[in-house]
């Protein structure tokens, strides 16, 4: 069986938030009797409901996307660990679950978009002989005030921001 790709989520006419995508995918998986997909998505939906309980209200779509990204990250790390421990069967299961969840994630911003937003954030920061660590903090604060953290790869953003903070300024 190939990777799970929801057929109707890629249409530009259908604009569902992340929570609605998960619910629709669970229903579709149940109709198609796809036990792996339905179980995986139900576990993620359970994490989303726990987030709702923790916040006291319905979590916004970016927070739900963050839960999905963490779930994908956990499963990817587990798959890597299972491969290291010579358990390809369990690694394949974890990789399959990561693919299922990844299909529901909104796309990340491109490197170009991140670079433009970081350049704009650097332009906003005051550069009066501040050390690079303080400059990095200011850049990241300005960047994340405009860009939602769930829409970017935070490791990439940090690396690019560090490079910009350590770059010589005119």
């Amino acid at each position: 069986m190939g990777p799970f790709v929801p057929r109707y989520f890629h249409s530009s006419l259908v604009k569902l938030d992340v929570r609605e995508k998960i619910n629709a995918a669970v229903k579709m998986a149940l109709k198609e009797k796809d036990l792996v997909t339905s179980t995986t998505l139900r576990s993620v939906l359970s994490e989303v409901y726990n987030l709702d309980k923790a916040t006291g209200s319905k979590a916004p779509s970016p927070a739900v996307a963050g839960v999905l990204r963490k779930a994908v990250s956990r499963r990817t790390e587990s798959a890597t660990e299972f491969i290291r421990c010579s358990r390809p069967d369990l690694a394949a299961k974890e990789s399959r679950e990561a693919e299922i969840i990844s299909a529901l994630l909104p796309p990340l911003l491109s490197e170009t978009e991140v670079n433009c937003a970081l350049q704009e954030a650097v332009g906003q920061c005051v550069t009066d002989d501040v050390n690079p660590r303080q400059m990095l903090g200011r850049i990241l604060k300005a960047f994340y005030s405009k860009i939602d953290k769930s829409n970017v790869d935070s490791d990439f953003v940090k690396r690019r921001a560090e490079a910009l903070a350590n770059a010589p300024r005119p």
Side-chain angles (χ1 to χ4, degrees):
M1 188 183 295
F4 172 76
V5 178
R7 290 176 287 254
Y8 53 88
F9 296 139
H10 298 292
S11 170
S12 61
L13 300 175
V14 179
K15 292 287 186 185
L16 299 174
D17 76 340
V18 179
R19 183 187 305 260
E20 291 171 351
K21 282 183 182 181
I22 297 170
N23 284 323
V26 167
K27 288 177 186 175
M28 188 171 68
L30 289 172
K31 284 180 184 177
E32 294 177 358
K33 296 183 175 36
D34 184 353
L35 187 63
V36 174
T37 302
S38 66
T39 304
T40 301
L41 294 178
R42 282 178 167 179
S43 72
V44 170
L45 206 49
S46 173
E47 292 178 43
V48 171
Y49 292 147
N50 287 338
L51 177 66
D52 289 344
K53 287 179 185 176
T55 59
S57 63
K58 190 174 178 180
S61 197
V64 174
V67 168
L68 289 177
R69 290 194 200 292
K70 287 179 185 175
V72 169
S73 176
R74 275 196 314 271
R75 284 167 174 82
T76 304
E77 290 171 8
S78 295
T80 304
E81 192 64 27
F82 283 135
I83 289 171
R84 191 180 67 74
C85 294
S86 301
R87 293 297 308 264
D89 54 329
L90 295 175
K93 177 187 173 287
E94 293 292 324
S95 296
R96 170 93 170 104
E97 289 180 4
E99 287 176 10
I100 291 168
I101 298 167
S102 294
L104 299 173
L105 280 171
L108 293 174
L109 292 179
S110 69
E111 289 183 18
T112 307
E113 292 170 320
V114 169
N115 286 334
C116 289
L118 278 172
Q119 290 291 343
E120 188 176 308
V122 168
Q124 292 176 352
C125 294
V126 180
T127 59
D128 51 345
D129 287 337
V130 182
N131 74 24
R133 297 296 295 167
Q134 288 178 336
M135 187 66 177
L136 175 63
R138 289 179 183 176
I139 292 170
L140 290 175
K141 185 176 180 180
F143 177 80
Y144 285 123
S145 70
K146 295 185 180 201
I147 305 292
D148 190 352
K149 196 169 190 171
S150 66
N151 293 333
V152 295
D153 178 6
S154 57
D155 292 331
F156 173 73
V157 171
K158 186 175 181 187
R159 284 192 312 271
R160 291 294 303 137
E162 285 174 344
L164 290 171
N166 293 325
R169 284 176 271 302

